Amino acid sequence: MRKILVYLGIGHIIALITVPLTFLLGIINFYYFRNWILPRMIIPLIGVILVIIGILIIILSAHQLINGFKHGKLIKNGLYAYTRNPLYFGVIFFIMPGIVLTFGFLLLIPVPFLTYVLFKVLIKEEERSLEEKFGNEYIEYKKRVNSLIPKLKR
């Protein structure tokens, strides 16, 4: 199980829970709470901007991650110099809130918070796997770089 976690991470587990929940709440919101939609002008535009930023973060960090794993190296530069989990950061802090703002479904507001809680619970196992694979190098990296919220001073 741990070997799989090193390569896949916990993202697929989080997605299995949050994606169906997001669709279900979106459908419920659309059919039963149509009047609970956020104002239509600037707020959806902000949502689209957040989603675009999130997608860019995910593309950049996935590219770094794939290249690092090809060579069996721990990635500690680029976005990974600021947060150990830029993929999850992009999803939780940009894409999910962006979707809520873009579509204005107020029932979706809890989904990013649920995703954050799932991340905090599940990331421990992924980090144990990384400690086993990279040893002291990962332990030192953990001391310098936050798990999710970026440290802007390096």
Side-chain angles (χ1 to χ4, degrees):
M1 174 72 171
R2 285 199 178 150
K3 191 171 190 170
I4 292 170
L5 277 176
V6 170
Y7 295 104
L8 293 179
I10 59 170
H12 65 287
I13 299 169
I14 291 174
L16 284 173
I17 296 168
T18 58
V19 170
L21 179 65
T22 301
F23 280 112
L24 177 65
L25 291 175
I27 290 167
I28 291 169
N29 196 118
F30 182 77
Y31 285 107
Y32 296 105
F33 303 101
R34 267 185 220 218
N35 296 332
W36 288 23
I37 294 178
L38 297 170
R40 294 277 175 213
M41 287 302 245
I42 192 78
I43 292 178
L45 178 61
I46 293 169
V48 169
I49 291 168
L50 287 175
V51 169
I52 290 169
I53 292 170
I55 290 170
L56 290 174
I57 290 170
I58 287 170
I59 290 170
L60 290 172
S61 38
H63 177 72
Q64 286 183 273
L65 187 64
I66 290 165
N67 285 337
F69 270 114
K70 278 183 189 174
H71 299 80
K73 294 182 180 179
L74 177 65
I75 304 102
K76 300 182 287 188
N77 59 351
L79 295 173
Y80 290 87
Y82 299 98
T83 172
R84 295 192 310 267
N85 298 286
L87 291 164
Y88 304 129
F89 171 74
V91 170
I92 294 171
F93 291 99
F94 288 94
I95 291 182
M96 289 184 150
I99 290 170
V100 171
L101 293 175
T102 300
F103 295 105
F105 293 163
L106 295 178
L107 285 182
L108 294 181
I109 290 173
V111 175
F113 297 103
L114 170 66
T115 307
Y116 177 76
V117 170
L118 286 170
F119 167 81
K120 292 306 272 182
V121 169
L122 296 173
I123 198 66
K124 293 172 184 151
E125 183 66 26
E126 183 177 318
E127 290 193 335
R128 276 193 288 276
S129 298
L130 290 166
E131 283 179 20
E132 284 180 12
K133 181 171 175 71
F134 295 107
N136 227 19
E137 183 182 11
Y138 187 75
I139 292 168
E140 290 301 315
Y141 174 61
K142 270 177 70 170
K143 289 178 185 176
R144 289 190 325 274
V145 180
N146 284 342
S147 177
L148 189 64
I149 300 180
K151 239 186 216 183
L152 297 181
K153 291 184 180 182
R154 294 192 317 181

